[in-house]
Amino acid sequence: MTMTYSLNRSPRRLCEEMEPFIPPMEQERLVRRPFNHYTPALTDWWIVPSLDLPFFKFGKYFFTWDVKQRTSLQCGLCLTKGLDPMLAAVYPSRKGRRLLMDESWAWNRFHAAVEKGVFEEKLRRSARAIGHEVEIVFDGGYVDDPGLFNPDAGTRRRDRYTLVYQPEDDSLRVARAKRDAMCLKFLNKVHCISEFREAMRTLAAEQFLWCDIFVSNSYLIPLTEEFPAEAEVRSAREIYDEWLGFWREFV
């Protein structure tokens, strides 16, 4: 697997450098947002296409790393599958209603792109552009009461599955799986694009399932001030051109 290095060495710096290279869209305002405002140099960052809060209904670019090791940066597309709007009659609270999907959620465009084969083609083209496999991470859990649910709470029970798309044989496989909620086990059956499409239908039908999806690529960070002599180093613009640009229609 070919790995390249990022010229920018933290999620914050890569996010800041990336924003000017994202083509603007009509009636859109790109906004940089940290996950933790108190530790902006260390926390995850997003580029979101709106000032509106909460921003989980939008597709967004994410920038993250392992805060302990800090040896690589992960970036890509992040979007959320929220709760079925049919639950409005059951959970009418104001806080709960914001978790219910409507036509403005990016999930709808993404799911339609999976059904039409658009996502499949982008997956293939992006893997060719970066020269190696692509990760698709699912992080989700059931919501018992939307009025009491906090999407950002780290203590909630959830599953986390990492699927890897391998361009050599156009296959998918489960690379890692954390099964605390046993709600994403249908992803175990995914070995090809058609099975991925079927899994997304299963996900869409789960009314009470909240799931964050990350389409992710990694860039190394050198352990010293100098890059290795043989390193392929990518600027923010090059990372956009070879990777993030493929997912612009969902942001």
Side-chain angles (χ1 to χ4, degrees), residues 185-200:
K185 56 186 178 181
F186 55 86
L187 293 172
N188 287 320
K189 300 178 181 179
V190 175
H191 303 95
C192 62
I193 292 294
S194 62
E195 291 172 346
F196 178 83
R197 190 175 297 118
E198 187 59 38
M200 294 296 285

Side-chain angles (χ1 to χ4, degrees), residues 176-243:
R176 296 178 294 280
K178 177 185 176 185
R179 306 177 182 91
D180 287 343
M182 297 301 292
C183 61
L184 296 177
K185 56 186 178 181
F186 55 86
L187 293 172
N188 287 320
K189 300 178 181 179
V190 175
H191 303 95
C192 62
I193 292 294
S194 62
E195 291 172 346
F196 178 83
R197 190 175 297 118
E198 187 59 38
M200 294 296 285
R201 291 171 186 156
T202 300
L203 178 60
E206 290 278 1
Q207 292 183 308
F208 291 88
L209 182 56
W210 182 276
C211 189
D212 298 312
I213 302 172
F214 305 84
V215 184
S216 178
N217 184 34
S218 297
Y219 293 87
L220 291 172
I221 304 172
L223 299 177
T224 64
E225 289 298 315
E226 298 295 328
F227 289 94
E230 70 283 0
E232 294 185 22
V233 183
R234 298 289 192 268
S235 65
R237 179 159 199 161
E238 290 169 326
I239 291 175
Y240 184 83
D241 289 342
E242 76 174 11
W243 170 242

Side-chain angles (χ1 to χ4, degrees), residues 11-13 15 31-48 53-56 60-65 67 78 80 98 139 150-156 158 160 210 212 214:
R12 179 182 183 177
R13 295 306 180 197
C15 181
V31 183
R32 286 181 278 111
R33 293 194 179 278
F35 177 73
N36 188 335
H37 291 270
Y38 299 103
T39 58
L42 300 177
T43 192
D44 298 347
W45 280 76
W46 287 273
I47 293 178
V48 187
L53 292 174
F55 60 80
F56 41 68
K60 45 206 166 282
Y61 288 125
F62 76 92
F63 306 85
T64 187
W65 61 0
V67 295
C78 173
T80 299
R98 69 177 189 157
D139 191 307
N150 178 6
D152 298 325
T155 56
R156 61 188 176 93
R158 59 184 185 265
R160 187 176 180 90
W210 182 276
D212 298 312
F214 305 84

Side-chain angles (χ1 to χ4, degrees), residues 10-123:
S10 73
R12 179 182 183 177
R13 295 306 180 197
L14 182 55
C15 181
E16 290 174 340
E17 290 290 324
M18 186 65 65
E19 185 181 356
F21 304 119
I22 302 174
M25 291 187 179
E26 188 177 355
Q27 298 181 335
E28 177 188 77
R29 169 74 182 276
L30 292 174
V31 183
R32 286 181 278 111
R33 293 194 179 278
F35 177 73
N36 188 335
H37 291 270
Y38 299 103
T39 58
L42 300 177
T43 192
D44 298 347
W45 280 76
W46 287 273
I47 293 178
V48 187
S50 175
L51 287 167
D52 293 347
L53 292 174
F55 60 80
F56 41 68
K57 74 174 184 177
F58 300 108
K60 45 206 166 282
Y61 288 125
F62 76 92
F63 306 85
T64 187
W65 61 0
D66 184 320
V67 295
K68 294 181 179 180
Q69 298 185 18
R70 303 179 199 169
T71 57
S72 66
L73 290 170
Q74 291 78 47
C75 63
L77 171 69
C78 173
L79 50 84
T80 299
K81 183 260 179 201
L83 305 184
D84 194 298
M86 295 294 290
L87 299 178
V90 183
Y91 298 109
S93 71
R94 181 179 179 182
K95 184 178 179 182
R97 284 198 304 270
R98 69 177 189 157
L99 306 179
L100 304 178
M101 294 187 294
D102 58 31
E103 65 277 0
S104 67
W105 281 57
W107 158 261
N108 298 313
R109 301 199 311 275
F110 181 77
H111 189 212
V114 172
E115 286 291 332
K116 295 175 182 177
V118 174
F119 174 73
E120 174 184 343
E121 181 58 25
K122 288 183 180 295
L123 195 61

